[in-house]
Amino acid sequence: MTKQRTHIAEAIVLRRSDFQEADRRLTLLTPERGRLNVVAKGVRRPASRMAGHLELFTLARLFVVRRRSLDLVVQAETVQTFPQLRTDLNRLPYAYQAVEAAHILVEEEVEAYGEFVLLVQALGALATTAALPLVLVAYKLQLLASLGYQAQLQECARCGDPLSAGANRVRPDIGGAVCSRCGGVTGLPVTVRAIKCLRWLAREPLQTVDRLQVDTATTAQIELTADAFVRYVAEQDLKSSPFLERMRALKTQS
Ligand SMILES: [Zn+2]
């Protein structure tokens, strides 16, 4: 019999799906191994003692057995739950986006200490703050920067000139905001006000971004900008975006 290789992992549950008869397949974000796919056996049985510790968005400490196929979770204990993220329908779609961004941007089997800490901070802020869009934008920019894709927002990303008032645009393919001469007709138009907000959100701790006062039009611009960068780097769309839009539309109607 081979010796089982068990290790303890702190992890956030990014995604869950049913697997075989009573199991669940989980995608985790871990500090040591980045994105990690595992199986938790028997957790769909009512008597499972692990099930409650493996909810979406939960920060848990897990005992994981390495296997040639999917690693196996054999024990789990909750470190922190963010219950508001599941029970408050205003917060839920933002939390979905935060975990989805980690899911599509962080690679498997790479160290992801910074990315892990950022996601814990993002979920904590999304559970408590009223400034949900600002937290999400700040999180996406900081996650990208942590992975080596820092958006150039100080001066024109192509020619280096200061970004003055005028027809500035955001060009993820060039790596940031560009001036009116360099932007051409492609890319998102972006105001200087929006660029200043983005700069601030890119470096502010997530728990305190709600200090920023932002009008609706600027909020829309900075959200589109952050999404454009995520889409460019991940080479895919955020699938939870339509859900977020629907929930917002419902909120506006009510
Ligand atoms: Zn330029």
Side-chain angles (χ1 to χ4, degrees), residues 156 159 179 182:
C156 174
C159 74
C179 72
C182 296

Side-chain angles (χ1 to χ4, degrees), residues 44-59:
R44 281 155 56 215
R45 294 202 180 96
S48 167
R49 279 192 294 179
M50 280 203 294
H53 305 288
L54 298 172
E55 299 284 342
L56 201 57
F57 315 135
T58 295
L59 172 59

Side-chain angles (χ1 to χ4, degrees), residues 29-36 105-113 115 147:
L29 183 67
T30 67
E32 293 87 3
R33 295 172 68 191
R35 183 159 48 88
L36 183 64
L105 287 167
V106 179
E107 289 179 43
E108 286 184 58
E109 298 290 349
V110 290
E111 281 187 358
Y113 287 91
E115 295 77 13
L147 293 165

